């Protein structure tokens, strides 16, 4: 019979074996590619010494295609729990050194176990992805494993925050797990995501395309919008996750933590009084407005490079976490198009799911006209954003800085969609459309009869008349659609007071099985 010392020695040996993953040579190859191993990643992401590992001794149960000779403790994925800034998270980290991080039956079971744990306990799930996809030798067992994970992604959706980092390959159906999570971060140069790789693309569509062009971080940040963030390195990825998670609660029954703020509540920003140009057609940078009002000018922008005509991201007001949505007049005049509507709609839904108040800055000339937009379904996509704001029951504060024209006025968290506090700057223009469009429609008969200078003079006069009558905040304020017209420099203070007044807010939607968001 073995002594306890011998038994402990065996335990240590097995642990050591598990920690070596696919072995020294493959670890070296991983490092040569500029990548950390699965365990190194966990150690860098979590608080020091906080990681508790599950299922270190799990192995696969397959014997086909020589797999009986390729058995690795942990089976290619490291799972468990730990803390970030002292708050608990569940984590899985795919180990590319073991069979290319490919996913088989037991690998999937390990991920499912921590996801079930996370939903049971109510803590976020973080997935670190680096995998060759379905473990080919395990056939349908691996396909089943993926579907088991997808199901859990969906069940956990809106219950606990889910964050995916892509740190290597993520191809085939494997992409759908990150796609179902709330935030995706890709590491530049070492990660890629696509449904089918370059070889299949070549066969089917005859396109010659590199891995980077098809599914690199830049492509998904600028063209597809699949990734919410791009990090320059793995270390930057981990820093970003550690920051991102501070804006969120642990689950849908809690509120985001309040972080002590040393930024004065009553900080006035005189620059804001002059930030909107006198010429209504001149752009300005709405990001500057946001940075001037949030605590310590600290704004974490989400999907920065995609649909830049709308800004989404997290900030704090007197320590309280908020989601910020803002039209960006310096890109496409801040117009709402297909991508912008989807981007903001998805962000508002995340905030609503996790009890994060939404602050909306409005300067929008309307929805983007034209065949491109209509053919891509601006009607349905605009409806997504409208739906998101309308169903949203968290505290909602709206600041109209300049234009709020047409349907876009209604959509952008208006009073009519249950905006709690709707403020306008004196520079606001709230009307059915802008002066030039309005004059063309209202005076079409008169304009047909005029020419040259006479016509130009008539237009200028009528536009001015319209501007005075309609392009201001006071018609809306008279109707009570705007709660107050505020001095821009006081915006921070007014938002903070507003958020404080809304701390006890309770609002409900009618009981239903699900709402039918126009997809
Ligand atoms: C089993 C795999 C594997 C896989 C890689 N490996 N992918 N083993 N199943 N899917 C193994 C390799 O045999 C190798 O083993 C080790 O992992 C490292 O792989 P390399 O090819 O040497 O690495 P690299 O050159 O960096 O190339 C990485 C790669 C490539 C681009 C990911 O391995 C690759 O193309 N793999 C196949 C990808 C794929 O088609 N997967 C299926 C997608 S479809 P050794 O022993 O040499 O270390 C899919 C469906 C999911 O996933 C559906 C869900 C609904």
């Amino acid at each position: 019979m073995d002594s306890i010392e011998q038994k402990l020695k065996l335990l240590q040996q097995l642990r050591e074996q598990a920690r070596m993953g696919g072995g020294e040579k493959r670890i070296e190859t991983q490092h040569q590619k500029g990548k950390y191993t699965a365990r190194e990643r966990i150690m860098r992401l979590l608080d020091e010494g906080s990681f508790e590992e599950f299922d270190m001794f799990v192995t696969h149960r397959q014997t086909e295609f020589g797999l009986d000779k390729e058995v690795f403790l942990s089976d290619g994925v490291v799972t468990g729990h730990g803390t970030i800034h002292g708050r608990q998270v569940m984590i899985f980290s795919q180990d590319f050194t073991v069979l290319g991080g490919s996913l088989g039956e037991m690998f999937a079971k390990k991920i499912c176990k921590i996801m079930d744990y996370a939903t049971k306990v109510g803590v976020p799930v973080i997935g670190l992805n680096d995998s060759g996809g379905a473990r080919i030798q395990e056939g349908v067992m691996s396909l089943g494993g993926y579907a088991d994970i997808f199901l859990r992604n969906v069940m956990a959706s809106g219950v606990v925050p889910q964050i995916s980092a892509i740190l290597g390959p993520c191809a085939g159906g494997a992409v759908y797990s990150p796609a179902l999570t709330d935030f995706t971060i890709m590491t530049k140069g070492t990660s890629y995501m696509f449904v089918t790789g370059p070889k299949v693309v070549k066969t089917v569509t005859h396109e010659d395309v590199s891995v980077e062009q098809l599914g690199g971080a830049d492509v998904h940040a600028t063209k597809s919008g699949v990734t919410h963030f791009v990090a320059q390195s793995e270390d930057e990825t981990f820093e970003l996750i550690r920051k991102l998670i501070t804006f969120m609660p642990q689950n849908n029954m809690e509120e985001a933590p309040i972080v002590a703020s040393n930024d004065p509540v009553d900080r006035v920003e005189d620059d804001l009084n002059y930030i909107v140009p006198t010429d209504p057609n001149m752009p300005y940078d709405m990001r500057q407005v946001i940075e001037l009002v949030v605590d310590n000018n600290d704004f974490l922008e989400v999907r920065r490079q995609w649909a830049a005509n709308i800004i989404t991201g997290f900030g704090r007001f007197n320590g309280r976490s908020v989601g910020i949505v803002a039209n960006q007049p310096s890109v496409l005049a801040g117009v709402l198009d297909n991508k912008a509507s989807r981007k903001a709609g998805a962000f508002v839904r995340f905030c609503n799911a996790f009890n994060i108040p939404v602050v909306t800055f409005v300067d929008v000339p309307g929805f983007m006209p034209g065949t491109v937009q209509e053919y891509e379904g601006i009607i349905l996509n605009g409806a997504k954003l409208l739906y998101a704001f309308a169903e949203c029951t968290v505290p909602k504060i709206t600041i109209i800085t300049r234009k709020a024209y047409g349907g876009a006025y209604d959509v952008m968290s208006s009073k009519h969609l249950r905006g709690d506090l709707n403020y306008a700057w004196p520079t606001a223009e709230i009307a059915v459309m802008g002066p030039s469009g309005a004059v063309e429609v209202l005076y079409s008969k008169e304009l047909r009869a005029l020419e040259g200078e006479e016509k130009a003079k008539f237009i200028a006069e009528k536009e001015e008349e319209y501007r005075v009558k309609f392009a201001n905040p006071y018609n809306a304020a008279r109707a009570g659609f705007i709660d107050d017209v505020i001095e821009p420099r006081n915006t921070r203070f007014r938002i903070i007071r507003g958020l404080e007044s809304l701390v006890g807010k309770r609002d409900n939607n009618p009981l239903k099985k699900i709402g039918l968001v126009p997809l």
Side-chain angles (χ1 to χ4, degrees), residues 32 69 84 93 101 114 193 195 235 246 252 254 291 294 312 338 425 440 443 449 452 461 473-474 507 510 512:
Q32 276 162 3
K69 293 184 195 67
I84 292 182
S93 179
I114 62 120
M193 295 176 83
V195 172
D235 284 313
T246 63
N252 63 332
E254 295 180 14
E291 285 173 356
V294 293
T312 53
N338 282 293
W425 286 2
E440 256 180 57
Y443 299 100
E461 272 171 20
Y474 297 104
D507 202 353
K512 54 181 112 174

Side-chain angles (χ1 to χ4, degrees), residues 280-281 364-367 402-410 428-443 462-463 465-472 475:
N281 298 317
V364 59
F367 281 99
R402 189 169 59 177
K403 297 170 191 168
Y405 285 137
Y409 156 74
D410 278 343
E429 306 170 16
I430 306 169
V432 173
M433 60 176 78
S436 68
V439 168
E440 256 180 57
V441 176
L442 292 175
Y443 299 100
K462 291 298 172 195
E463 281 188 9
E465 188 185 332
Y466 181 90
R467 196 166 282 122
V468 172
K469 275 196 187 138
F470 293 107
N472 62 58
N475 288 318

Side-chain angles (χ1 to χ4, degrees), residues 322-484:
V322 300
I324 293 170
V325 177
N327 308 113
Q328 172 56 291
S330 68
V331 179
L332 298 172
V335 75
L336 282 176
D337 58 6
N338 282 293
K339 288 177 182 172
S341 303
R342 284 175 48 208
K343 170 174 162 179
F347 185 74
V348 170
R349 297 196 85 220
F350 176 83
C351 294
N352 190 31
F354 289 105
N355 313 315
I356 301 169
V358 177
V359 176
T360 306
F361 291 91
V362 183
D363 186 349
V364 59
F367 281 99
M368 179 88 147
T371 50
V372 173
Q373 292 297 314
E374 293 289 356
Y375 294 174
E376 281 176 8
I378 187 69
I379 296 172
L380 287 178
N381 287 317
K384 282 178 192 148
L385 179 56
L386 169 58
Y387 195 112
F389 273 123
E391 72 173 344
C392 180
T393 53
V394 296
K396 291 189 281 193
I397 299 182
T398 308
I399 316 281
I400 301 176
T401 59
R402 189 169 59 177
K403 297 170 191 168
Y405 285 137
Y409 156 74
D410 278 343
V411 169
M412 291 300 294
S413 201
S414 64
K415 193 56 124 187
H416 322 278
L417 302 183
R418 293 189 285 180
D420 295 299
L421 285 171
N422 292 64
Y423 293 136
W425 286 2
T427 43
E429 306 170 16
I430 306 169
V432 173
M433 60 176 78
S436 68
V439 168
E440 256 180 57
V441 176
L442 292 175
Y443 299 100
S444 61
K445 230 186 285 163
E446 291 86 336
L447 287 172
R448 269 199 299 275
L450 293 170
E451 272 180 3
E453 253 181 51
E454 215 184 345
K455 187 175 180 179
K457 192 170 163 246
F458 179 83
I459 290 174
E461 272 171 20
K462 291 298 172 195
E463 281 188 9
E464 187 52 26
E465 188 185 332
Y466 181 90
R467 196 166 282 122
V468 172
K469 275 196 187 138
F470 293 107
N472 62 58
Y474 297 104
N475 288 318
R478 267 194 292 275
F481 299 161
I482 291 295
D483 297 295
D484 198 7

Side-chain angles (χ1 to χ4, degrees), residues 88-248:
Q88 201 188 332
V89 297
M90 302 306 295
I91 189 164
F92 70 82
S93 179
Q94 300 175 341
D95 185 351
F96 194 81
T97 70
V98 173
L99 300 167
S102 59
L103 181 144
E105 175 205 10
M106 297 308 287
F107 184 121
K109 277 190 193 302
K110 285 183 64 172
I111 293 180
C112 289
K113 188 191 269 188
I114 62 120
M115 293 185 75
D116 290 341
Y117 202 99
T119 37
K120 192 162 58 180
V121 177
V123 298
V125 183
I126 299 172
L128 308 182
N129 296 268
D130 185 3
S131 165
R135 188 172 294 162
I136 297 162
Q137 302 92 320
E138 295 205 32
V140 73
M141 299 307 282
S142 46
L143 299 185
Y146 271 116
D148 290 339
I149 295 170
F150 300 156
L151 177 71
R152 281 162 178 82
N153 285 132
V154 174
M155 293 300 115
S157 177
V159 178
V160 292
Q162 302 181 75
I163 298 173
S164 301
I166 316 296
L167 305 165
C170 182
V175 296
Y176 288 109
S177 178
L180 289 165
T181 64
D182 305 315
F183 294 99
T184 297
I185 300 158
M186 292 184 74
T187 306
K188 200 168 166 142
T190 48
S191 71
Y192 53 88
M193 295 176 83
F194 38 66
V195 172
T196 46
K199 283 188 193 137
V200 178
V201 170
K202 174 79 180 162
T203 319
V204 178
T205 69
H206 309 294
E207 279 175 285
D208 274 311
V209 67
S210 71
V211 161
E212 201 62 32
Q213 286 168 327
L214 187 61
D218 283 341
V219 164
H220 286 309
T222 58
K223 292 188 191 300
S224 71
V226 164
T227 193
H228 298 78
F229 302 96
V230 174
Q232 300 301 316
S233 65
E234 292 199 14
D235 284 313
E236 200 180 297
T237 302
F238 306 141
E239 271 313 301
L240 194 52
I241 295 174
R242 288 179 66 84
K243 180 164 186 180
L244 178 62
I245 212 152
T246 63
F247 291 101
M248 302 172 190

